[in-house]
Amino acid sequence: MNSSEVIRCQYCNSNIYQCQRYCDKCGRENKSIDKGTLCTGTINGIHCSNVINPRVKFCSGCGTENSAYVSGSNSEDDLTSSTSLYREEKVNQEEKWEPTNKAYDSDTRVGEDTAHENISDLQDMENDAELNDIYAKLKKEGKMETSTYIGKKLAEAKTMNLKFAVIGRSAVGKSSFINMMLDLQPGNTYYGETGARDTTKNAYAYKHPQNENITFFDMPGFGTMEMTIEKFLSMFGSDLNTFDYFFIFIDTVIMERDVWLVEKIKGYGTPYCFVRSKLDEDIKKGRTKEEIRQKLERSIQANSTVNGSALFLISNEKSYLHTGDFRELFLHITKHLPLVKAESLSFFLPILTPEMIEQKFQALAKRIKYVAFNASFMSGILIHSLDNSFNIRICGKEIEEYYRVFLLDKDMVLHVQGVKHKKFSKNDIKQYVTTFFTNITNVEPVATVHVPTNIMTQSAFTLTGYKAISAGATVYKYARQLLIKTLMEMKEDAHTVYDHYTKLK
């Protein structure tokens, strides 16, 4: 098979080249990669990672000569039949790489060529409508207000209020479910001891330990002597329309009280689902998942009000990965929440499924332009260099989020082979970011590069406070590159953890 042939990624079905080591969209490794030589070159301190066909003389990603080159073909296709994960622009067919051992000679990169590269980067930035809004705000309101605005955009995930109602009688698994959803462990302030509270009469609020704007309410079952429907309405009726989602816990069949509640929820237009917990206990007793499902589905189908309602059978036994219908349950939740709330929830749900990993990845990827802009903004105005404390702190803090969101800080990761970012402390992250920027600074001294005013765009001129435009553009470019690289690697680490533990099931 020709290495330049386009194939489909086995995971996300997007187009990739046969020789491409990783998929550009999902970041996962191409298992059917065309066998060849791994390029040993680098792009600004980052290993190229191309797999080069033996008939390719020079790597199209970094220009390094292929030591395993086999002559015998003069096809232009062979000269460009390799790709690179982190290369953001394709090599122009009219611009051929020259065979040289000094692909990143700092003397040749300082001056007009680098200036034009940075202007090109800024023009790419200007194609984003949201970044154009930031430029306009910077020009109109100044740097302090703009910095505050960027901070608010990045804080959206932690400031979004989310309220979930978990309704059902005692002993149906509500406390265990809430502890799992909020990653609450014994000793946490809001940890719910099973059976420790009287949920027949009162509702209890449980907040996420890392984001108190996410709250799960353990609400009592009703339709009993102790909690009649009338009493339930009197105590909680005014709050029912304030929830974002309802989990209705059931046992063996759908009851009349469940039908009444669904009718109320539908009137509010609020999404909901039925949940049957403790699946692991049923299986230990000899019952099958399908047997339990069929009985409950017949009960649901028998009533026109609840017919068609989503039903999920779950077990809270396995932390972070879980069994039963958890994958389908999380898809249902995120599908029925507004996008901004679904993204916020994905930041804090301690769950690893392929769908949730992708949701986390997409939500984090949207932040990259703001983080990179923030770094370029500081560097363009305050310190015209890549390896300054502002860049290191800004990018390091975001990478800490990646590490937490993908659950790579959990003890379960320590036992998994093939995880690249394992035991990644704050100091490790700081050193990782520092090394990245220092390596680039050694070959591209940002502080000495300036752009002639006659080729400045107005928004680019504004971006850096009327000076050192090249510094801001270069920092944006490489901060973005670092974040994309790290995000993709940590996403792959999350898949590795999931694959490891699901194989043990």
Side-chain angles (χ1 to χ4, degrees), residues 46-93:
I46 303 173
H47 289 297
C48 177
S49 296
N50 270 4
V51 175
I52 315 175
N53 188 283
R55 293 175 297 167
V56 178
K57 191 170 184 180
F58 300 105
C59 174
S60 66
C62 67
T64 302
E65 186 170 358
N66 182 8
S67 59
Y69 172 68
V70 178
S71 61
S73 174
N74 295 320
S75 167
E76 286 190 7
D77 289 338
D78 290 338
L79 294 175
T80 57
S81 59
S82 61
T83 58
S84 175
L85 173 61
Y86 305 122
R87 181 168 172 78
E88 297 177 12
E89 300 175 0
K90 294 183 179 179
V91 178
N92 190 307
Q93 293 297 321

Side-chain angles (χ1 to χ4, degrees), residues 8-222:
R8 293 281 187 176
C9 172
Q10 302 114 300
Y11 301 99
C12 68
N13 209 36
S14 60
N15 289 337
I16 58 174
Y17 288 103
Q18 173 66 20
C19 67
Q20 192 167 334
R21 190 176 180 187
Y22 299 99
C23 173
D24 292 322
K25 182 177 180 181
C26 70
R28 302 198 70 179
E29 188 172 4
N30 176 13
K31 299 298 184 182
S32 61
I33 191 167
D34 195 19
K35 302 303 181 184
T37 302
L38 189 65
C39 177
T40 58
T42 60
I43 301 176
N44 296 317
I46 303 173
H47 289 297
C48 177
S49 296
N50 270 4
V51 175
I52 315 175
N53 188 283
R55 293 175 297 167
V56 178
K57 191 170 184 180
F58 300 105
C59 174
S60 66
C62 67
T64 302
E65 186 170 358
N66 182 8
S67 59
Y69 172 68
V70 178
S71 61
S73 174
N74 295 320
S75 167
E76 286 190 7
D77 289 338
D78 290 338
L79 294 175
T80 57
S81 59
S82 61
T83 58
S84 175
L85 173 61
Y86 305 122
R87 181 168 172 78
E88 297 177 12
E89 300 175 0
K90 294 183 179 179
V91 178
N92 190 307
Q93 293 297 321
E94 297 179 359
E95 298 174 356
K96 303 300 181 185
W97 283 100
E98 295 295 331
T100 175
N101 293 324
K102 298 191 295 182
Y104 286 92
D105 184 348
S106 60
D107 292 336
T108 64
R109 293 187 63 81
V110 178
E112 187 174 342
D113 289 342
T114 306
H116 280 288
E117 284 183 16
N118 292 329
I119 287 298
S120 177
D121 291 331
L122 277 173
Q123 288 170 344
D124 289 340
M125 291 164 64
E126 289 178 332
N127 291 331
D128 190 298
E130 287 179 298
L131 287 180
N132 276 328
D133 290 342
I134 296 177
Y135 295 145
K137 183 177 289 291
L138 181 60
K139 182 177 179 181
K140 181 180 179 180
E141 301 180 17
K143 58 180 182 289
M144 293 304 296
E145 288 76 9
T146 303
S147 180
T148 300
Y149 170 78
I150 294 173
K152 287 181 178 179
K153 292 293 291 185
L154 292 173
E156 279 183 350
K158 293 185 177 181
T159 57
M160 187 65 58
N161 285 308
L162 283 162
K163 289 178 62 177
F164 297 92
V166 183
I167 299 182
R169 66 174 180 79
S170 299
V172 292
K174 293 185 297 175
S175 294
S176 297
F177 175 75
I178 291 172
N179 287 336
M180 180 275 299
M181 292 291 280
L182 296 179
D183 199 19
L184 295 172
Q185 307 296 332
N188 289 147
T189 302
Y190 294 104
Y191 179 75
E193 293 284 354
T194 303
R197 288 178 169 177
D198 181 9
T199 56
T200 60
K201 300 178 182 178
N202 301 296
Y204 295 92
Y206 295 85
K207 295 182 179 294
H208 196 291
Q210 294 175 327
N211 183 0
E212 293 199 347
N213 290 313
I214 298 178
T215 310
F216 278 70
F217 288 83
D218 186 352
M219 303 187 72
F222 54 89

Side-chain angles (χ1 to χ4, degrees), residues 236-247:
F236 310 111
S238 60
D239 295 324
L240 290 179
N241 64 346
T242 66
F243 291 101
D244 293 290
Y245 193 97
F246 285 83
F247 300 94

